Every structure is written in C-alpha cells, then in structure tokens.
C-alpha cells in the first residue's frame, strides 16, 4: 500500500548521516535530537507543546490520563475507526460510547454526538479518518456548550489544514484540548519503527502529559502520579526530523495521486470517490472508494492477482468487535457505520506512485467493476 523503500532512497544520504550522528553520540533516549524534533514539529503544527511518545496508541492513553478521566466516565467516539482510538478508553475502564459517522466524510457526525451526551460524558474523540478532517467547528461548539474535553485522533491526519467559518485556519490536531498522532511507518509522517506525539496549547496539561509519559515523574526518581513509560527514541526522532521537512511535499504527492484516481473513476455509478469537504484539504492517508453492487472480496482478489494491493479499513466496526461485548457493543444500532464497513476499499496511495502505476490500477479496478 506504500513504498517506504523508494521514499527512503530519495533521502538516504541525509537519513543515514543523521542516524550515524545519533549512534556516535550514544544518546539513544531523550537528549537534544528528540527535543529538537519536538520543537520543530510543534512549530510546524502551530501548537505550543509537542510531547513525543512511543506510539499513537500511547498518545491517546496518556491524553485520557492527563485529562483525569476516571473509570465509569464516558467518551464519545466514532465506531468507524482503527481500534486504538477506543481500546485505550476501555483499558482505563472508561466507557466508549460509539456514535455514527457522516456518510460522506466518514468522520464523526456532530448531530450524533449531541444525542449521546449524558451526565457521565467527559470527552469527545473525533478521528480525522483517512486524512479527512472531522467537523471540528461543530465539535468544538458542542464541547464548549457541554463543558467537554476534545481529544483529536490525528494519527491519519497530520499536516491537514482545517478552516473555520470565520476564515481562520488551524492544523488538525491543534484544535481540541489535546491532539494525538502516530508515526507508524505508513503514516503521512512515518518513522522507521514506532513513534507518536501529543499536542496541546495548555501549559498545565503539557506538564501533566510529560509527567505521565515518563513514569509520573516530576523530577528524576520523584513520581507524583501513576504514569507509563512512553518514549520516542533518538534514532526515530532524527529520521522524523528530516522527514518533517518533506511532509508538505509528501502530502502534495498524495493529493496529486488522489486527483488522478478521481479522474479515472469519475462517472462510474458503482464507485464513489472520496468526498472533498471544503473546510479542509484532505491529506489522503488513505484513498478509499465506496462500492455499490460490486463483489468487494472478488475485486480485492482480482487486484491481488494482478500484483495490486488493496485493503479494507475497517471490515469490522469497533462496536461490533468482541472486545466491546462487555461494554454493550453489540447493542448499538449504527447503520451508516455498518454500511461503510461493507463497502469501503482502499487503494495504494503514497508519495512514490506514478501515473503509469495508477493507470494500471484504475484499468484493473474498472475491468472488474464493469464486467
Ligand atoms: C486512527 C488511528 N488511531 C490510532 C492509531 C494508533 O497509532 P499506533 O499504531 O502508532 O499506536 C492509528 C494507527 O495505527 C490510527 O490509524
């Protein structure tokens, strides 16, 4: 689905030198390289604080801990998401309350959030799914009206710009009280291993986030709260710092590839191409089609036989996962979510795709769909 090898070879000289510098310094955990990357990413993101951590899942968990969410509290989340978004809530004995997504953007539906609020609700967790921004303007208004926290799951949306109706623009992940992201290798800003980061503009929250990510430590060997051990290592930070300087060009390449696919699939009654919401630029972490009247597994196999990878993100929604039986997961009625899980299919989209490869992919998808 991605070509991280070709991408690496284009920046190999820079990356190899940076990794060697870390090896020579022998500062593998923390230190200047990690701090420097965090500062550069905070600047790019226009967030006051960036706290690096071990992965995007930890970022979400640490965010919920720093906000003081307690067992029995409720968080409102989409069910149509990667499991990490909701799994960490359950891990902390916080109840995930699953709501519908918008059938066009595939992101959490603000009207559904309002209906799900109870006296126990403490936070909303929008997910910028596939790189498309959730309706942050409406979400922030609901949160303010009901005194709720907003934790943005920006694992798939890093680099996206969201525009408010008053004309201001902010990066997704810098709008809520806390933003979380992942540097999983296939992400738009991908490490060569695991990594994640947490963003906030609130000084007190930043201090808590830092403390929790470091064993609840306020200074070395003084542990004020229960925390965890979640660190981005220096080699990954050195690589990410280089890739950060290319992030906008990587996003532009993904958008260009998406535009090319859009043209190739235009006017096909069985295929709906990704919706482009005017309030954000969609950074195309995934390029996902909605199929109507097509044997999806048949298409996936047909493409695989032609050497074309395709993936289904996600075949089972969170509320349908066995792990949530104890939270009454199977009692939910989320027809839009279930409808999407049966119809989506993602095609390769990355920085190294060329038009010849895309023509081949488009031709094969159309051959199967139109037969
Ligand atoms: C929407 C979403 N949330 C959270 C995560 C978790 O990130 P990680 O794999 O770095 O733990 C991911 C990525 O895998 C994701 O796509």
């Amino acid at each position: 689905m991605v070509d991280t090898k070709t991408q690496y070879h284009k920046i190999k000289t820079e990356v190899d030198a940076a990794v060697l510098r870390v090896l020579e310094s022998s500062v593998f955990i923390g230190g200047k390289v990690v701090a420097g990357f965090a500062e550069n990413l905070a600047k790019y993101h226009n967030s006051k604080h960036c706290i690096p951590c071990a992965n995007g899942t930890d970022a979400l968990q640490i965010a919920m801990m720093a906000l003081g969410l307690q067992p029995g509290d409720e968080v409102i989340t989409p069910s149509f998401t990667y499991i990490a978004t909701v799994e960490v809530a359950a891990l902390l004995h916080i109840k995930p309350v699953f709501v519908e997504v918008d059938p066009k953007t595939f992101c959490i539906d603000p009207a559904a959030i309002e209906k799900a609020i109870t006296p126990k609700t403490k936070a909303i967790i929008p997910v910028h799914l596939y790189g498309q921004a959730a309706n942050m303007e409406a979400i922030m208004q609901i949160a303010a009206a009901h005194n709720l926290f907003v934790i943005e799951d920006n694992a798939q949306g890093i680099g996206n710009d969201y525009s408010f109706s008053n004309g201001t623009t902010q990066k997704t992940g810098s709008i809520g009280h806390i933003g979380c992201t992942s540097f999983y290798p296939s992400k738009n800003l991908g490490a060569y291993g695991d990594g994640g980061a947490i963003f906030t503009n609130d000084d007190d929250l930043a201090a808590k986030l830092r403390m929790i990510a470091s064993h609840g430590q306020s200074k070395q060997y003084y542990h004020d709260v229960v925390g965890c051990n979640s660190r981005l290592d220096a080699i990954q930070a050195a690589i990410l710092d280089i890739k950060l300087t290319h992030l906008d060009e990587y996003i532009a390449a993904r958008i260009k590839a998406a535009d090319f696919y859009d043209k190739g699939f235009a006017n096909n009654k069985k295929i709906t191409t990704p919706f482009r919401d005017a309030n954000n630029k969609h950074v195309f972490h995934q390029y996902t089609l909605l199929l109507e009247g097509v044997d999806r597994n048949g298409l996936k196999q047909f493409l695989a036989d032609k050497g074309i990878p395709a993936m289904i993100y996600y075949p089972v929604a969170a509320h349908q996962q066995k792990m949530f039986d104890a939270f009454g997961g199977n009692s939910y009625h989320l027809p839009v979510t279930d409808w999407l899980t049966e119809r989506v299919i993602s095609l390769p989209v990355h920085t190294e795709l060329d038009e010849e490869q895309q023509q081949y992919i488009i031709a094969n998808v159309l051959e199967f769909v139109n037969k």
Side-chain angles (χ1 to χ4, degrees):
M1 296 293 282
V2 289
D3 182 359
T4 44
K5 191 167 183 177
T6 309
Q7 193 193 54
Y8 161 61
H9 278 278
K10 288 187 180 160
I11 53 171
K12 180 177 167 29
T13 317
E14 277 176 280
V15 168
D16 290 2
V19 170
L20 282 176
R21 276 197 299 276
V22 174
L23 296 181
E24 283 298 336
S25 78
S26 292
V27 179
F28 301 120
I29 300 285
K32 280 188 196 151
V33 174
V34 179
F37 167 62
E39 201 181 315
N40 291 337
L41 184 56
K43 233 179 258 164
Y44 171 87
H45 213 255
N46 209 8
S47 285
K48 196 163 174 196
H49 304 278
C50 167
I51 295 106
C53 63
N55 54 64
T57 309
D58 277 7
L60 289 156
Q61 180 180 332
I62 295 164
M64 290 181 210
M65 291 169 79
L67 290 171
L69 303 192
Q70 296 296 318
D73 286 347
E74 295 177 1
V75 293
I76 298 176
T77 83
S79 178
F80 191 56
T81 182
Y82 182 55
I83 199 68
T85 316
V86 283
E87 180 189 30
V88 289
L91 196 67
L92 297 171
H93 302 282
I94 296 162
K95 184 181 176 189
V97 174
F98 302 111
V99 300
E100 275 294 21
V101 290
D102 179 293
K104 285 208 286 206
T105 65
F106 307 161
C107 293
I108 196 165
D109 176 359
I113 296 175
E114 292 224 79
K115 284 188 205 139
I117 293 172
T118 75
K120 290 184 178 169
T121 309
K122 291 286 159 32
I124 306 167
I125 310 179
V127 181
H128 303 304
L129 198 74
Y130 304 153
Q132 167 96 272
N135 183 345
M136 289 308 295
E137 180 149 1
I139 292 166
M140 294 311 290
Q141 279 166 4
I142 295 167
H146 297 271
N147 207 14
L148 303 175
F149 294 117
V150 175
I151 304 170
E152 291 177 78
D153 182 342
N154 198 32
Q156 302 188 5
I158 195 160
N160 199 349
D161 294 309
Y162 181 87
S163 301
F164 289 84
S165 52
N166 66 5
T168 57
T169 295
Q170 269 178 263
K171 291 272 178 228
T172 54
S174 74
I175 303 166
H177 300 86
I178 300 182
C180 299
T181 203
S182 160
F183 304 126
Y184 186 79
S186 61
K187 293 289 191 264
N188 288 20
L189 180 59
Y192 295 169
D194 272 315
I198 315 165
F199 302 88
T200 186
N201 291 316
D202 181 311
D203 295 345
D204 291 340
L205 259 182
K208 279 187 199 151
L209 291 161
R210 263 183 232 289
M211 213 193 308
I212 291 168
S214 178
H215 294 293
Q217 181 163 255
S218 54
K219 59 180 179 179
Q220 202 173 23
Y221 304 128
Y222 288 81
H223 305 273
D224 297 2
V225 293
V226 173
C228 57
N229 175 25
S230 190
R231 303 184 280 233
L232 178 72
D233 67 62
I235 289 179
Q236 297 307 333
I239 295 163
L240 287 164
D241 209 24
I242 291 162
K243 293 189 74 180
L244 177 60
T245 64
H246 297 277
L247 179 57
D248 285 339
E249 123 213 358
Y250 289 163
I251 290 169
R254 285 173 179 269
I255 294 172
K256 187 167 169 246
D259 290 345
F260 195 84
Y261 275 139
D262 278 0
K263 283 193 205 113
F265 297 125
N267 305 318
N268 190 300
K269 286 200 175 65
K270 294 182 183 170
I271 296 176
T272 305
T273 55
F275 177 67
R276 313 291 188 101
D277 209 340
N279 61 15
N280 77 102
K281 70 180 184 193
H282 201 324
V283 292
F284 286 100
H285 174 57
Q286 298 298 343
Y287 183 87
T288 304
L289 300 175
L290 253 184
L291 302 174
E292 199 54 61
V294 178
D295 167 13
R296 184 174 62 168
N297 288 335
L299 171 62
K300 192 166 181 285
Q301 188 55 53
F302 179 80
L303 294 175
D305 293 342
K306 302 287 175 109
I308 301 168
M311 290 292 286
I312 292 157
Y313 304 117
Y314 300 92
V316 182
H319 74 284
Q320 303 274 19
Q321 299 285 356
K322 276 192 203 147
M323 80 158 63
F324 289 118
D325 284 357
F327 289 87
N330 41 24
S331 65
Y332 284 88
H333 178 62
L334 301 173
V336 175
T337 296
D338 291 338
W339 178 78
L340 288 173
T341 56
E342 285 161 18
R343 282 168 179 77
V344 288
I345 190 162
S346 299
L347 299 178
V349 65
H350 55 81
T351 57
E352 311 309 316
L353 266 185
D354 62 36
E355 291 190 356
E356 199 181 322
Q357 289 170 312
Q358 285 197 272
Q359 289 282 21
Y360 178 70
I361 296 168
I362 292 166
N364 279 290
V365 170
L366 291 178
E367 183 183 332
F368 187 88
V369 166
N370 293 335
K371 77 173 180 215

